[in-house]
Amino acid sequence: MEHLLPLAILLAVCIAFPIGLAWRIAKLDEASRGAWALKAADSLLFFGLILLVGRWDIAGLWTRAVLVVLVLLAFAASWWRHARRPWALVRPLWRAHGVTLVSLVFYATAFGYLAVGLAPAGSPTSLAFPLEGGRFMVAQGGNRTLLNHHHAHRRQRHASDIVAVGPAGFRAIGAAPADLSRYVVHGAKVVSPCTGTVASVRDGLPDLAPPRRDKANASGNHIVIRCDALQVELAHLRQGSVVHKAGDAVTVGQRVGAVGNSGNTTEPHLHIHAVDAVTGEAAEIAFDGEVPVRNRIFER
């Protein structure tokens, strides 16, 4: 049951907090529009942070849309109630609104910090998207640890974890099912993101039912492709799905395996990262010109 606690916290942050923020905005009753604007902006920035860091493949894409509408309606209703009130703030400003001002600066700084993490860190190498046949979403990706838990790792600094979402907007049927077939991405076709040569392959490891993990074999079944100056790794593949061996030439878009749940992974997804073949340092990549950052959607 321990693995369900982080999931429960995530759902509370993604769903309960925005509902609470909408209620807070709707109930505002300030003496001036200036005071209202400070408190409304404070709540909106907090909501913006949740939109950035939330795992909406788990909480649901349609859930996110409903919450955005709810917050905007609360904002509009609150604005209408304050529209004819004066703008002047109570003085001294710090004494009357100090807590709100501190909160506002904190949320604005955090939002800016994370928003910068959604932009490329440098000049990423453009590759083809490595999955076919679905609507895919980046679960881990970006240049901030809060957006990408790989970011602190030297070789995986720009790694991404990719899942798929179904018509209802969820990455699985159920919150954390043990049945691999309930994950939309399980079995999805993995293709080479570039033309190159297979550097190494691992297959034969079992696909584990969540939350079991194989920490001794972090990448699980995987393939590493040498693409010019990069070595691109595609990991956590389905047992028996890898169709190449070391030394094989592959072309962009050619099938190399299928998504599984092998190795040190909590649920089915495709892990991809690239390193500079000479230095061994992480290399930033993009898919068809778009950097894979948290919650970005790719349809193929």
Side-chain angles (χ1 to χ4, degrees), residues 204-229:
L205 295 171
D207 292 289
L208 302 175
R212 293 178 58 203
R213 304 167 72 169
D214 182 2
K215 295 184 178 182
N217 298 287
S219 297
N221 302 315
H222 64 277
I223 184 169
V224 178
I225 303 171
R226 178 72 178 262
C227 305
D228 295 326

Side-chain angles (χ1 to χ4, degrees), residues 119-124 143 158 284:
S123 300
N143 293 310
H158 303 296
E284 192 172 21

Side-chain angles (χ1 to χ4, degrees), residues 14 47 51 56 59-73 168-169:
C14 287
F47 182 52
L51 291 178
W56 296 105
L61 297 184
W62 292 110
T63 305
R64 178 176 62 178
V66 169
L67 291 171
V68 168
V69 171
L70 181 65
V71 170
L72 290 178
L73 287 174

Side-chain angles (χ1 to χ4, degrees), residues 35-76:
W36 170 84
L38 286 178
K39 292 188 177 181
D42 178 68
S43 294
L44 288 177
L45 280 170
F46 189 12
F47 182 52
L49 284 173
I50 294 172
L51 291 178
L52 287 181
V53 304
R55 283 287 304 274
W56 296 105
D57 59 305
I58 297 177
L61 297 184
W62 292 110
T63 305
R64 178 176 62 178
V66 169
L67 291 171
V68 168
V69 171
L70 181 65
V71 170
L72 290 178
L73 287 174
F75 179 85

Side-chain angles (χ1 to χ4, degrees), residues 194-197 225-231 277:
C194 54
T195 295
T197 304
I225 303 171
R226 178 72 178 262
C227 305
D228 295 326
L230 297 183
Q231 287 190 331

